[in-house]
C-alpha cells in the first residue's frame, strides 16, 4: 500500500486514484459554479483553505498533469461564451451577482481538485483527502483479503464435495440396478394381478353352467318319478 509521501511524489500513483472524486465531498463539500461541473481558482483555494497565490504556484508547477485531469484556462470568445452560460444559470438575481473574470478564467473539475489534493502539501484539507484515499484503499485491501479467504474455503469445500460425488457414483450405479430389478418385478406383479382379476369372471360363467346342468338333472329326476308312479 502506498504512503502519503509516495502519493505526493508519484504522478503514476496519483493517476491510479483519479476516479475517487467521492473522497472530496466526504472531507468537505465542494461549492461548484452554477453548471455543477467547474470551480474557479478562488473556489478551490477556499476549499483547501490556502491563498490563491499558493494555489496558482502549485498549478503552474504541475500544469501539464492538472490539464490532463480537466484544468483549462478560458480567454477571449471562449470566456465570453462561458460567462453567458453561467449568467443564464446564476440564481443571484442578475449580472452583478455573478463575478466575471476580466481577461482569463482558470477552471477546475472535480478530477482536477482531487489531483490538487494529492500534491498540495500545506493544507489540512488536502491531507485529510489523501488520508481518506489511503484508508479506503486499506479497507478495500482488507475486504479483498477476507473475500480471498472465503473463496479459498469454498474451494476446499467444493474439493471435498467432488471427492464425495466420486465415491457416491458407484453407490448410485448399484442403486440404479436394484431399481431396474424392482421395476421388472412390479411389471410381473401387475401381469399376475391382471390375470387374477380375469379369473372371477370365468368362475362365474362356470357356476352358471353348473346351475344349468343341475336344473336339467332335477327335471329328469322328476320325469323318472312320474313314470314310475304310473
Amino acid at each position: 500500500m502506498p504512503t502519503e509521501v509516495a502519493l505526493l511524489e508519484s504522478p503514476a500513483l496519483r493517476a491510479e486514484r483519479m476516479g475517487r472524486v467521492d473522497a472530496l465531498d466526504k472531507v468537505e463539500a465542494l461549492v461548484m459554479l452554477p453548471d455543477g461541473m467547474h470551480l474557479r481558482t478562488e473556489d478551490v483555494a477556499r476549499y483547501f483553505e490556502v491563498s490563491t497565490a499558493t494555489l496558482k504556484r502549485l498549478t503552474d508547477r504541475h500544469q501539464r498533469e492538472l490539464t490532463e485531469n480537466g484544468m483549462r484556462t478560458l480567454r477571449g470568445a471562449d470566456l465570453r461564451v462561458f460567462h453567458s452560460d453561467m449568467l443564464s444559470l446564476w440564481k443571484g438575481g442578475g449580472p452583478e451577482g455573478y463575478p466575471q473574470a476580466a481577461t482569463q478564467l482558470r477552471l477546475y473539475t472535480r478530477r482536477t481538485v482531487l489531483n490538487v489534493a494529492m500534491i498540495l502539501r500545506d493544507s489540512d484539507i488536502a491531507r485529510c483527502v489523501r488520508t481518506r484515499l489511503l484508508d479506503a484503499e486499506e479497507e478495500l485491501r482488507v475486504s479483498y483479503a477476507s473475500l480471498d479467504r472465503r473463496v479459498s474455503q469454498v474451494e476446499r469445500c467444493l474439493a471435498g464435495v467432488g471427492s464425495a460425488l466420486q465415491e457416491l457414483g458407484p453407490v448410485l450405479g448399484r442403486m440404479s440396478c436394484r431399481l431396474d430389478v424392482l421395476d421388472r418385478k412390479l411389471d410381473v406383479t401387475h401381469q399376475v394381478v391382471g390375470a387374477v382379476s380375469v379369473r372371477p369372471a370365468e368362475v362365474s360363467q362356470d357356476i352358471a353352467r353348473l346351475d344349468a346342468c343341475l336344473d336339467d338333472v332335477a327335471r329328469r329326476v322328476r320325469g323318472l318319478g312320474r313314470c314310475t308312479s304310473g
Side-chain angles (χ1 to χ4, degrees):
M1 176 179 166
T3 63
E4 183 179 357
V5 173
L7 198 60
L8 287 166
E9 299 296 335
S10 173
L13 289 177
R14 293 194 291 269
E16 293 175 359
R17 290 152 182 82
M18 287 312 306
R20 297 297 310 278
V21 293
D22 58 298
L24 296 169
D25 287 319
K26 289 179 179 179
V27 174
E28 187 74 26
L30 281 173
V31 179
M32 314 295 292
L33 287 175
D35 63 354
M37 298 172 57
H38 297 97
L39 302 89
R40 302 163 302 168
T41 299
E42 49 267 43
D43 300 324
V44 179
R46 189 179 305 112
Y47 176 83
F48 287 113
E49 298 177 353
V50 298
S51 66
T52 55
T54 297
L55 184 61
K56 286 179 180 178
R57 287 194 297 271
L58 180 78
T59 55
D60 287 342
R61 285 199 307 271
H62 299 274
Q63 186 169 1
R64 180 176 178 178
E65 180 181 344
L66 294 170
T67 300
E68 290 175 354
N69 286 301
M71 186 180 75
R72 58 183 177 137
T73 301
L74 300 181
R75 299 180 180 84
D78 290 336
L79 180 59
R80 289 192 294 273
V81 169
F82 182 81
H83 280 322
S84 176
D85 292 341
M86 291 302 101
L87 284 170
S88 66
L89 297 170
W90 191 254
K91 305 300 182 183
E96 66 280 0
Y98 171 70
Q100 301 183 43
T103 58
Q104 67 178 30
L105 177 64
R106 179 164 286 180
L107 294 175
Y108 304 73
T109 64
R110 287 179 178 271
R111 285 175 63 90
T112 319
V113 177
L114 181 61
N115 200 162
V116 171
M118 289 189 280
I119 56 180
L120 181 59
R121 296 175 182 271
D122 300 325
S123 166
D124 290 337
I125 299 295
R127 279 191 289 272
C128 287
V129 173
R130 292 193 292 271
T131 299
R132 170 73 66 171
L133 285 173
L134 296 174
D135 287 348
E137 287 188 8
E138 177 61 18
E139 291 172 2
L140 190 60
R141 186 191 65 79
V142 171
S143 176
Y144 278 151
S146 174
L147 180 61
D148 183 65
R149 288 193 298 272
R150 292 170 62 187
V151 170
S152 298
Q153 291 173 353
V154 171
E155 289 175 344
R156 288 194 294 271
C157 291
L158 290 177
V161 170
S163 300
L165 290 176
Q166 289 177 352
E167 296 173 359
L168 190 59
V171 176
L172 292 175
R174 291 193 296 272
M175 290 180 64
S176 178
C177 292
R178 294 177 66 182
L179 288 174
D180 289 340
V181 172
L182 287 174
D183 283 341
R184 289 194 293 271
K185 288 182 178 179
L186 285 173
D187 288 338
V188 172
T189 302
H190 289 157
Q191 293 171 5
V192 172
V193 171
V196 170
S197 66
V198 173
R199 185 60 181 164
E202 294 176 349
V203 170
S204 177
Q205 294 173 0
D206 291 341
I207 291 173
R209 285 194 298 270
L210 182 59
D211 285 341
C213 290
L214 291 173
D215 289 342
D216 184 56
V217 170
R219 282 193 302 273
R220 290 183 181 184
V221 169
R222 284 194 298 272
L224 287 174
R226 284 194 296 271
C227 291
T228 301
S229 63

